[in-house]
Amino acid sequence: MKIVGLSYGGHDSSYAIIEDGVLLVHEELERHSRIKECNDDVVQFYLDRNGSFDDVDVIAFTNNGEKTEECRRNQSWNIIDQLGRDGKQLVQVGHQRSHAANAFFSSNFPNALIFTIDGGGWDEEDGKTFPSAWSVWTGEDTKIKPHDFSYQFNVGVMWNHITEQVYKLSGGGPPFGCQAGTVMAMAAMGDSDRFYDDFKTAPLNLAKYVDLDEQGKFDFAAALQRFTEEILRDAMSKWVTEDTEYICLAGGVALNSVMTGKVMSWFPHVKDVYIPPVPYDAGLAIGNAQYVLHQIQDHPRVKWDDNAPAYLGIPYTTSDVMDALAEAEGIEYESASVNDVCKLLSNEMIVSVFNGGSESGRRALGNRSILADPTNPKIKDIVNEKVKHRQWFRPFAPSILREEVSNWFTTDKCSPYMGFVLKFKEE
């Protein structure tokens, strides 16, 4: 049984392949077009990579846009429509439904309370189609069940508007993608008290904050982050009970790893919190396929030995790398071992790693990564300035052995996908 999941018609176009119950491939179109959050022809991308849909049993998709003339310029809509007319089984999955499926079915939890939080999408329930930017579900074994939807409660749009209007950054879409993460990084440098009360005023006049100096922008970001954490804590508290053992989170707002790092402290009785590697809209391709596999076909869930796979891009062989090097000019190369890489890092060199399948998701997890020695107190500034070419305050994640986490952090939390920001111990 082969299931292909698609996310197209909006930003974060992607496809996923599940075969015989196992997630094998997830590819985001932006990794190959080099245009962040592109809305291009992901169906043609799938065909270019895999040949045809002939061996596919089910195509599961989420339409993230309407059939406008702009969308018609790519052929995704037309190809899928034709496949359906030709007898291919098609399943359309709602936006939040797909996020919830991706979150729960990627976890190892037997049951969970699921929250999806983003800027909005379309869902269907009881024959009615409606927009929603927040939803609450419960998951049990191979089934998820909806309990609440809301579009008025829209944290994602609030962040998008502030990112664009106050910080003059991209709120989403090509060519820069959503730069809300830059604002989240600013929040660490600010005093949340300065503007916090302003966020209790509705509507908030964002024009007042456009001309703030750098520290003012940091302070405003800190207030935004604090306000976000408090309203989400209050919203979740209405659903979390003493019987809640596990929580799953998905949707673009789940990329706010400062907020997610605090969820377990909000609900200390909860055993664990899970966020999938791709919680934003590129993960809809995975969620769609998982929904068909488990919810519809009742296929038993995979029990991961460690965590759900994040290295789902198609890998390249040594021959592929050698061919690329042969076409490049002025590059010297030689064979290197892991020990060689470690020696380079210990000598304060910056090493880029290209290995295996590429990561799915926003964060570099070791296969397509820039590595540097964190014991060098200047290394963050060096990498930000000379390699990343980005603002000085942008952070990097430390990589640490799982068994060492409790020795360094105040919370003993597994975070394999950079999904949770945790506090270092004072010492």
Side-chain angles (χ1 to χ4, degrees), residues 215-230:
Q215 188 58 51
K217 291 290 179 69
F218 292 166
D219 293 343
F220 191 76
L224 168 62
Q225 179 68 32
R226 176 181 165 188
F227 180 71
T228 298
E229 292 169 7
E230 292 189 0

Side-chain angles (χ1 to χ4, degrees), residues 329-349:
E329 295 182 359
I331 295 179
E332 297 179 2
Y333 57 89
E334 61 185 63
S335 297
S337 67
V338 172
N339 283 339
D340 294 326
V341 172
C342 292
K343 288 177 182 177
L344 290 169
L345 291 171
S346 66
N347 289 326
E348 300 188 356
M349 303 294 286

Side-chain angles (χ1 to χ4, degrees), residues 127-143:
K128 297 179 180 179
T129 302
F130 52 89
S132 58
W134 155 274
S135 69
V136 183
W137 307 69
T138 48
E140 184 80 33
D141 194 19
T142 62
K143 298 293 182 284

